[in-house]
Amino acid sequence: MSGGPPTAVGVRVPQRRRVTVRGVVQGVGFRPYVYSLATALQLSGHVTNTPEGVVAEVEGTSEAVARFCERIAVDVPPLARVDAVEHEEMPVVGGDTGFAILASRTGGPGGTLIPPDTATCAACLSELADPADRRHRHPFVNCTHCGPRFTIVTGLPYDRAHTTMAGFPMCADCSSEYADPADRRFHAQPVACPACGPRLRLLVPPPQGDGPPLPSAETDPVAGARALLASGAVLAVKGLGGYHLACDATDPAAVARLRHRKARGTSRSRSWPGAPTTSSTSYGSAPRSVTCSPAEPAPSCCCAAARTRRSRHRGPTRSKGWLPAAPTSVSCCPTPRCTKCSSGCPATPRVPGCSS
């Protein structure tokens, strides 16, 4: 008879496997998720970010490795989206002790996706409103499950060094959260607090009106901005991805000043953004009473979401003047249709997480 020695019944055969996960898997807490999954299954190895996605090498019993591969695309973080999982058998090393998150690998073609900026989660909002929390009223509060992503990234793989947060070294408290696998800010790249993160500034025109804006003497930028709005000023609020122009919508003079500066006449509409209204609908957007998942903004209708190219001047061939179609329904969950597209327009699918 030929062949190797028989394997004893009940012996656990060691196995090592490399797993590559592609999709929206960076900036969403995927490496901490892999870390928790591997340690729960008593697997050794490591996980890292690469330009093509997240790559993990796990070693342990064949049963545990198989279980890891079954679950890696199932119980993913809320903001993650797995498009593909690739497995590759590797030689057993045998010398690994525990599981680790390694520094990201650079180089090679980039194939991963960066998630969009996400609305502040309930846990961060709770901290924001808690006077006893060190992030009380901190405007840049965020964690692994919320906050800026796409608008702060400067390169791949997604690490703090490849974001605009690179210029803000973490304080001892934030570093402790960043390194703690049990913390929801574990490897959250935009993590910051009032002691180490960005801060608000209020810039005002110089006294003579010429030259660049100067820092305001107001110690509280939010209070200063509120006072300026109350006095009829027009503010440019720098946010994620650009600037928002703001004024007191109940002040006709301030609204007229803003419309004049934007070269907007009075023929298009009698309303303006933020103006009080008794109507249950708003042009090109869902009603304010609708509440949906932060990751799934409430759509108005299928054509508005796709920004139907309907010109208000010379038809759909013009490149300017395109407007989203106005919805005829006030809910994001039923099946609204558009008045400015054909009668065969498909209905908007139900929005996951909608609470209306």
Side-chain angles (χ1 to χ4, degrees):
M1 294 181 64
S2 60
T7 301
V9 177
V11 172
R12 296 186 175 184
V13 179
Q15 185 181 24
R16 188 178 186 90
R17 187 175 295 180
R18 176 181 292 163
V19 183
T20 302
V21 187
R22 306 177 191 275
V24 183
V25 292
Q26 295 188 15
V28 294
F30 205 86
R31 287 182 300 172
Y33 159 69
V34 171
Y35 176 94
S36 299
L37 178 60
T39 52
L41 295 171
Q42 298 182 342
L43 294 170
S44 60
H46 54 79
V47 63
T48 185
N49 275 343
T50 73
E52 59 181 351
V54 169
V55 177
E57 287 192 17
V58 292
E59 183 172 318
T61 66
S62 56
E63 294 86 356
V65 171
R67 184 64 176 154
F68 175 88
C69 295
E70 291 172 359
R71 293 176 55 187
I72 193 169
V74 177
D75 304 319
V76 298
L79 303 182
R81 191 193 76 213
V82 176
D83 292 339
V85 180
E86 300 173 3
H87 301 165
E88 179 184 356
E89 297 297 327
M90 302 289 292
V92 175
V93 175
D96 285 347
T97 57
F99 197 86
I101 296 180
L102 301 183
S104 298
R105 296 206 309 257
T106 59
T112 192
L113 303 174
I114 299 299
D117 305 322
T118 306
T120 310
C121 68
C124 284
L125 287 175
S126 177
E127 293 176 342
L128 188 70
D130 183 3
D133 194 276
R134 67 190 188 92
R135 289 187 173 87
H136 178 229
R137 299 189 66 190
H138 180 53
F140 306 100
V141 62
N142 68 86
C143 70
T144 307
H145 305 307
C146 69
R149 296 293 189 274
F150 184 79
T151 52
I152 66 170
V153 69
T154 59
L156 293 175
Y158 181 79
D159 282 314
R160 193 177 181 94
H162 295 152
T163 71
T164 55
M165 295 297 295
F168 298 93
M170 288 181 284
C171 64
D173 290 331
C174 286
S175 296
S176 176
E177 294 171 336
Y178 185 88
D180 183 2
D183 197 284
R184 78 175 196 280
R185 291 189 171 92
F186 182 45
H187 275 258
Q189 306 309 334
V191 64
C193 74
C196 63
R199 299 182 181 182
L200 290 178
R201 286 195 308 166
L202 177 62
L203 303 179
V204 296
Q208 280 70 33
D210 294 329
L214 303 174
S216 170
E218 176 64 56
T219 56
D220 185 346
V222 175
R226 186 185 299 115
L228 287 173
L229 289 173
S231 68
V234 175
L235 270 63
V237 183
K238 185 176 182 180
L240 292 175
Y243 286 85
H244 304 277
L245 298 180
C247 71
D248 182 356
T250 64
D251 184 344
V255 174
R257 189 180 306 112
L258 175 58
R259 294 183 67 84
H260 174 73
R261 292 178 180 177
K262 294 194 67 178
R264 297 286 181 90
T266 58
S267 60
R268 288 185 61 189
S269 173
R270 293 180 179 271
S271 63
W272 53 87
T277 177
T278 58
S279 173
S280 60
T281 61
S282 58
Y283 185 78
S285 63
R288 296 172 186 168
S289 61
V290 171
T291 302
C292 289
S293 165
E296 298 285 349
S300 54
C301 72
C302 52
C303 290
R307 297 194 62 83
T308 301
R309 295 180 174 183
R310 298 279 173 175
S311 173
R312 56 190 175 88
H313 295 301
R314 299 183 182 179
T317 57
R318 299 269 300 175
S319 61
K320 296 181 179 180
W322 292 342
L323 295 175
T328 58
S329 172
V330 298
S331 175
C332 70
C333 287
T335 55
R337 293 181 179 272
C338 304
T339 58
K340 293 195 176 184
C341 53
S342 64
S343 59
C345 177
T348 303
R350 186 175 181 86
V351 178
C354 181
S355 62
S356 64

